[in-house]
Amino acid sequence: MRAVTDYVIGNTAVRIVDTGRKLRVIDVAKEHEKKQFRKVAVATLLAALLTLGSSLSVVDYHSTHTMLDKHVYSLKSEVETLEYENKCLRKKINENTLTYDEIYKKATALGMHLPKRSHVKSYTFKKGTGIKVYQRLY
């Protein structure tokens, strides 16, 4: 059984604790100072951990933000390059108007030729019967 007795010796408050096996004499003022020190130490440790965690999250945020800014910048430059290339290609398309002679030269260079007389069929049709004639030919 545990018994606690408080005494005042001179100007010092003392607590005597009987645990059954041995007696403990505790200076109340020093014990209070130890508890207060522990509370301050725990509060300081928690504040330091909170500060460390928040500073790490801020650094991570800024790192991510910087990385995304660099990525956005590179994508913007890539878009500008592609827009410039498209503009150049459109300009080439508009400038390069092909004539019939150029098309004919290119086609004959690739092996194309005009049809022979035996491959050409001609026919006459009345208005509204063109589809029927086409169906009969093919």
Side-chain angles (χ1 to χ4, degrees), residues 84-133:
Y84 178 74
E85 289 175 0
N86 281 343
K87 188 176 180 181
C88 290
L89 290 173
R90 284 189 180 134
K91 192 173 182 181
K92 277 186 179 180
I93 289 172
N94 291 337
E95 289 176 356
N96 292 338
T97 54
L98 296 175
T99 62
Y100 176 76
D101 292 333
E102 291 173 353
I103 294 172
Y104 182 76
K105 286 178 185 176
K106 187 69 171 178
T108 54
L110 292 173
M112 299 176 73
H113 56 282
L114 292 174
K116 295 179 183 174
R117 267 303 202 194
S118 62
H119 293 135
V120 176
K121 294 182 183 179
S122 58
Y123 56 90
T124 58
F125 63 93
K126 296 177 187 173
K127 190 174 183 180
T129 61
I131 295 174
K132 293 176 187 173
V133 170

Side-chain angles (χ1 to χ4, degrees), residues 15-67:
R15 177 173 285 153
I16 299 174
V17 179
D18 182 12
T19 60
R21 291 186 174 180
K22 62 180 185 178
L23 293 173
R24 288 183 50 209
V25 178
I26 301 170
D27 186 354
V28 175
K30 287 184 181 178
E31 190 67 26
H32 181 69
E33 286 176 11
K34 284 181 183 178
K35 284 183 180 180
Q36 191 66 23
F37 177 76
R38 287 183 190 137
K39 286 181 184 178
V40 169
V42 168
T44 305
L45 182 63
L46 287 176
L49 288 175
L50 183 63
T51 303
L52 179 66
S54 63
S55 62
L56 287 177
S57 67
V58 166
V59 167
D60 183 47
Y61 171 77
H62 284 294
S63 168
T64 304
H65 187 68
T66 304
M67 182 186 67

